[in-house]
Amino acid sequence: MNFSVICIAFKSDKIKKVYKNKLHYIFSLIEDEGLYEILKSQLHEISFIDHSEILEEIAYFSSYNFKSKGLARLESEIKLELYLDKLTDEIFGNQMKLSQFIIELNGLIFNNSDQNQFIQDCIDKWALKVSDKIHYTSSSSEIYQIMDKYIAQSFVVEYNYSMSHDDFCQIFKTQKISEYALSVLYLMISEKLDLPIFGLPHKEKLLLCMAKSHCNNSELVYQEDIKFYFNPGPNGLLFTLQDLELIFKANDAQVAMREKLPKSNRIIVQNWLLKLHQENEILTKNEVLMPMFSEFIKMLKNV
């Protein structure tokens, strides 16, 4: 390495140190709610340091100082901004695994990311219960009955909305779940076990579609591959494609075939978030989702 390169590297380290000192000064003041937005905007001016490094500095600063509510909020919002970037890339790439994203989004939305492993362990536990009962000779209707017995009947489906009934951390602790979240849980377990069960959002519900065994993702499901539709829970129904068409007809709806086929994980995640957003609008002041939840909605509405 020549002398000029060494000088540039030294200068770069010196500048970085100055910026880190400025970061720590911002951290020390950020508890003041009146200054929060101003101080946060200053972070974006420190282009020399990216978001990952800011998170590292928050961890370093917190190890020597008490982590204030303002600093915890900043950490949460920066993590969310980073995740939004990642989510956008994955959505446009259409490569997301449903369980991975639901778990991570659940932690960010309900502010309990420290419970992500707990949620994953619970999903694995329920998946194992189902897996132990399914054999290679099990028919589609037998798989439906097994999942109904060992998943749906193990939870109390709540129809009066509470945030806890859509938060998978609380769901697994209380065994109380919303009808929509139960469908999402079925999809996560089906994905883990490679079962041909896929989602079809319809109005306020998330219908599930049982396809033929060769369909290993929703994009491979055509009209002739559909065995039946169902919605899990105590009021669950099992119906055919023809039944679904009659439901549409009863509602005076002319729906193209593509609207009756299961949707991709991207669409499932999008609809799950939009439903949470809709439910969030009727929550009490004591039950609010994290401040940047609306950013998910803005992004997804533009996808």
Side-chain angles (χ1 to χ4, degrees):
M1 185 180 290
N2 61 40
F3 180 72
S4 61
V5 173
I6 293 172
C7 288
I8 291 171
F10 176 74
K11 187 176 180 180
S12 174
D13 287 341
K14 199 169 183 179
I15 293 171
K16 210 163 193 177
K17 187 174 181 180
V18 170
Y19 280 138
K20 286 185 177 182
N21 288 338
K22 185 176 181 180
L23 273 181
H24 292 180
Y25 178 68
I26 290 173
F27 294 164
S28 67
L29 298 176
I30 209 159
E31 179 65 13
D32 188 332
E33 288 187 13
L35 294 174
Y36 182 86
E37 293 300 334
I38 297 172
L39 294 170
K40 188 183 175 187
S41 68
Q42 290 184 13
L43 293 177
H44 295 289
E45 297 172 9
I46 309 177
S47 57
F48 201 88
I49 299 178
D50 63 24
H51 280 165
S52 296
E53 289 178 294
I54 292 174
L55 291 176
E56 289 178 10
E57 290 305 311
I58 289 176
Y60 175 80
F61 182 84
S62 301
S63 65
Y64 293 97
N65 303 272
F66 173 73
K67 184 186 284 189
S68 66
K69 288 182 179 179
L71 194 57
R73 175 186 170 187
L74 177 64
E75 181 180 40
S76 176
E77 290 184 5
I78 288 174
K79 283 181 178 178
L80 183 54
E81 287 172 6
L82 282 171
Y83 193 74
L84 279 170
D85 291 340
K86 176 186 173 185
L87 183 60
T88 303
D89 291 341
E90 294 286 351
I91 281 177
F92 282 108
N94 205 25
Q95 299 170 345
M96 67 171 67
K97 283 286 187 182
L98 185 65
S99 57
Q100 170 198 350
F101 275 81
I102 292 293
I103 291 171
E104 291 187 28
L105 285 168
N106 192 92
L108 288 168
I109 292 168
F110 295 101
N111 200 24
N112 53 19
S113 294
D114 59 328
Q115 297 294 306
N116 284 3
Q117 188 58 52
F118 165 72
I119 296 174
Q120 182 63 67
D121 291 343
C122 288
I123 291 172
D124 291 345
K125 181 188 77 172
W126 290 104
L128 184 61
K129 281 187 178 183
V130 172
S131 178
D132 284 345
K133 304 299 177 182
I134 293 176
H135 306 288
Y136 72 94
T137 57
S138 298
S139 67
S140 297
S141 58
E142 286 171 337
I143 292 172
Y144 165 77
Q145 291 166 2
I146 290 167
M147 294 188 79
D148 179 69
K149 180 177 180 180
Y150 292 96
I151 302 176
Q153 294 183 31
S154 299
F155 291 91
V156 175
V157 178
E158 296 285 354
Y159 296 95
N160 294 321
Y161 185 72
S162 168
M163 188 170 70
S164 64
H165 302 147
D166 278 315
D167 173 5
F168 282 97
C169 178
Q170 292 302 314
I171 285 168
F172 289 130
K173 289 179 178 178
T174 65
Q175 303 292 99
K176 295 180 179 180
I177 192 169
S178 74
E179 189 178 24
Y180 204 97
L182 182 59
S183 289
V184 173
L185 177 58
Y186 264 58
L187 290 178
M188 291 192 289
I189 290 173
S190 298
E191 179 183 72
K192 184 171 181 61
L193 299 179
D194 293 321
L195 297 175
I197 297 175
F198 309 102
L200 175 61
H202 176 62
K203 294 188 175 181
E204 301 301 313
K205 295 182 180 292
L206 176 57
L207 302 180
L208 300 180
C209 173
M210 177 74 77
K212 292 181 180 177
S213 58
H214 69 268
C215 300
N216 54 26
N217 71 65
S218 61
E219 307 295 331
L220 297 177
V221 180
Y222 295 91
Q223 179 175 350
E224 59 270 21
D225 298 314
I226 298 171
K227 290 291 192 76
F228 53 81
Y229 299 92
F230 66 100
N231 59 311
N235 299 319
L237 295 172
L238 189 153
F239 46 95
T240 66
L241 175 61
Q242 290 70 35
D243 294 329
L244 186 65
E245 289 170 344
L246 287 173
I247 292 170
F248 286 145
K249 188 175 181 179
N251 293 323
D252 295 322
Q254 297 295 321
V255 184
M257 186 61 222
R258 65 178 178 275
E259 298 302 319
K260 304 166 195 172
L261 296 176
K263 304 307 176 194
S264 66
N265 286 343
R266 174 178 69 80
I267 299 298
I268 299 301
V269 170
Q270 183 174 352
N271 278 271
W272 178 64
L273 289 171
L274 291 172
K275 180 184 179 296
L276 289 180
H277 177 63
Q278 181 182 24
E279 299 288 5
N280 185 44
E281 292 177 346
I282 63 171
L283 290 173
T284 66
K285 290 183 179 179
N286 293 325
E287 286 188 308
V288 291
L289 300 177
M290 61 182 303
M292 289 189 68
F293 178 63
S294 60
E295 294 301 318
F296 282 111
I297 305 307
K298 288 178 188 175
M299 181 196 72
L300 289 169
K301 283 182 175 178
N302 291 323
V303 171

